[in-house]
Amino acid sequence: MKTIVANWKMNGTVDYIDDYFDKFLSNVKIVNSEVIFAVPYVFLEHVKKIVKNQNIKIFAQNCSHEEDGAFTGEISASMLSSMGIDGSIVGHCERRKYGENCEIINKKIKILAKYNLKSIICIGEENKNQSESILREQIKECLYEIDSKNHVVIAYEPVWSVGRNDNLDLKEIAHSIEIIKNMVIELGFEKLKILYGGSVNKNNAREILTNLDINGVLVGRDSLNPMNFSQIVNFLE
Ligand code: PGA
C-alpha cells in the first residue's frame, strides 16, 4: 500500500478547506493507498471532523521536542494525541532553516512515539551530488536510539528539489534512495517506509511512483489543488 502525503504548509482558511474537501472527496477513491493530510495546527480539528475515510490520516506539520511546560507557542505530542491526530512531519527543510537539527528531530520522534504517534522524518541534502555522507549522518542522528520501528517513515526530500520547477533527475534520486535503504537496513529498520518529496505534481507523479523504489510521495504545492491532488491519489487505485 503506497502512502501519499499532502503537506499544506502555511496555507488554507476554513472556507478553503470546506471547498477543498467537497471537491477532493467526491473525486477520489482511496482503497489501495493511504493518504495523509499534514495541515496547520489550527485546522487539525476542522479537517478531522470533515474527513471520515479510514484510509485518510491527519498529521501535524511539526511538534515540540519538549513534553510540556513554559514553551509559549509550541504544541506538544500529548496535545496532538489527545485530539486523535495520527502523527506529525518532523525535520522539514523549511524548519531546519530555523535551526532545527537532527538532535532536536530525534527528541521529537521519541516523544511522538511515546504518545503512539507516527513521525514522517524529512531528510535531504542541500546541493546536488553531495548526498551520501549527509544522508548517512542525518539518518544515523535522527534514528539514534529509536526502537519503535513502526512509528517512523522517512521522506527523502532533497532541498534542491523542494518548491522548485526544474525537471527532476530521477537517476540521482534513485541513487539517494538506494543509499537510504541500505543505511536503514544496516540500522535494523528493514521494513521502514521511504517516501520521496520535492516538486511532485500531477504530471510527474506516475513516473516517480513507478520508477523509484519508494513507498509513496510527499506533495507540497500540488496538494493544495484538490483536483490535482485527487489525480495523484487516483493513479494508485
Ligand atoms: P513541493 O514541496 O512539492 O512544493 O516541492 C514539497 C515539500 O513540502 O516537501
Side-chain angles (χ1 to χ4, degrees), residues 7 9 92-94 122 157 161-164 197-201 218-222:
N7 177 15
K9 311 191 180 188
H92 193 279
C93 62
E94 287 156 12
C122 298
E157 297 214 306
S161 76
V162 172
R164 303 287 292 272
S199 297
V200 179
N201 58 47
L218 192 153
V219 188
R221 284 157 295 169
D222 232 25

Side-chain angles (χ1 to χ4, degrees), residues 192-210:
L192 196 133
K193 282 189 176 179
I194 299 170
L195 315 179
Y196 168 75
S199 297
V200 179
N201 58 47
K202 71 171 173 38
N203 300 320
N204 63 15
R206 189 193 289 273
E207 195 191 355
I208 290 171
L209 284 160
T210 47

Side-chain angles (χ1 to χ4, degrees), residues 7-13 38-43 61 94 224:
N7 177 15
W8 280 3
K9 311 191 180 188
M10 195 176 72
N11 292 292
T13 60
V39 303
Y41 291 133
V42 287
F43 299 134
Q61 298 173 4
E94 287 156 12
L224 290 164

Side-chain angles (χ1 to χ4, degrees), residues 46-65:
H46 188 65
V47 173
K48 220 178 141 40
K49 271 191 196 137
I50 299 174
V51 176
K52 298 286 177 221
N53 185 320
Q54 277 188 26
N55 291 337
I56 301 182
K57 306 274 186 286
I58 313 299
F59 272 47
Q61 298 173 4
N62 183 34
C63 159
S64 174
H65 61 286

Side-chain angles (χ1 to χ4, degrees), residues 168-201:
L168 293 175
D169 180 347
L170 288 195
K171 256 203 186 143
E172 181 167 353
I173 294 170
H175 177 62
S176 300
I177 301 278
E178 201 186 319
I179 294 170
I180 296 169
K181 286 229 147 146
N182 290 338
M183 180 76 187
V184 294
I185 290 171
E186 258 175 53
L187 293 173
F189 286 76
E190 289 81 9
K191 298 215 170 95
L192 196 133
K193 282 189 176 179
I194 299 170
L195 315 179
Y196 168 75
S199 297
V200 179
N201 58 47

